[in-house]
Amino acid sequence: PDIKGREAILTVHAKGKPIERTVDLKVIARETSGFSGADLANLINEAALLATRMDKDKVEMSDFEQALDRVLMGAKREEVISDKEKEITAYHEAGHALAAWHLPEADPLHKVTIIPRGRSLGVTQLLPLEDRHNIGENQLHARLTFALGGRAAEKLVFDQLSAGAENDLKQATDLAGRMVTHWG
């Protein structure tokens, strides 16, 4: 479903659950591009469970944000990472954020974290203003620049590259390959 459809589905599934009136379902709908109705229902249930675990009377926006992070990126990893790894990760994610911030064709910056989740040590998340079914060349170039921004920051600051950019390289390579082989 599109953004309006996801917002309608969220509204239906939220009925009967004690949700704080400041929760903005339109923002959640924007953040959940590609989610099915079942995925959205699962997100609401996950947010309600988080609120319950924290003895809250109502589900707050922060509960939805935490639930979405868990669904999209996996559970927080509890292992302790070294200060050096945190520093490298922080510069890496800042590189992504700066690239997005300075590229007018990039989607707006939504969140930057260096909390390890799933297989990643950090994440920089962009939030499209609308669903897209087509993308222009300038936006594709912005996505490539964004994907490689973390790696560039590591090289500038530490004069070396880490294995932490593996997924970024894969995404950039896949996108560049499609640009050449599928879109000319």
Side-chain angles (χ1 to χ4, degrees), residues 6-19:
R6 289 192 303 275
E7 186 178 359
I9 292 168
L10 286 164
T11 301
V12 167
H13 285 291
K15 288 203 185 312
K17 294 196 173 37
I19 295 182

Side-chain angles (χ1 to χ4, degrees), residues 17-21 47 51-52 55-60 63:
K17 294 196 173 37
I19 295 182
E20 182 68 40
R21 65 177 180 80
T52 301
D55 292 324
K56 294 181 182 178
D57 294 333
K58 294 184 177 183
V59 183
E60 300 171 359
D63 301 312

Side-chain angles (χ1 to χ4, degrees), residues 20 33 36 40 60 74 79 83 87 100 120 134-135 137 146:
E20 182 68 40
S33 179
S36 67
L40 295 168
E60 300 171 359
E79 81 239 20
D83 288 343
E87 182 182 20
S120 70
N134 197 4
I135 185 167
E137 185 178 4
F146 170 76

Side-chain angles (χ1 to χ4, degrees), residues 95-158:
H96 287 305
L98 283 170
W101 187 265
H102 287 286
L103 291 165
E105 299 85 8
D107 289 324
L109 188 60
H110 178 63
K111 180 187 296 185
V112 180
T113 179
I114 61 167
I115 296 172
R117 288 183 169 277
R119 291 179 31 203
S120 70
L121 293 175
V123 173
T124 302
Q125 183 181 10
L126 305 179
L127 185 57
L129 296 173
E130 59 191 10
D131 287 334
R132 286 195 195 101
H133 303 289
N134 197 4
I135 185 167
E137 185 178 4
N138 290 341
Q139 291 169 321
L140 291 167
H141 289 191
R143 286 187 181 186
L144 285 173
T145 303
F146 170 76
L148 298 172
R151 186 175 168 88
E154 285 184 35
K155 183 68 173 167
L156 284 171
V157 174
F158 302 105

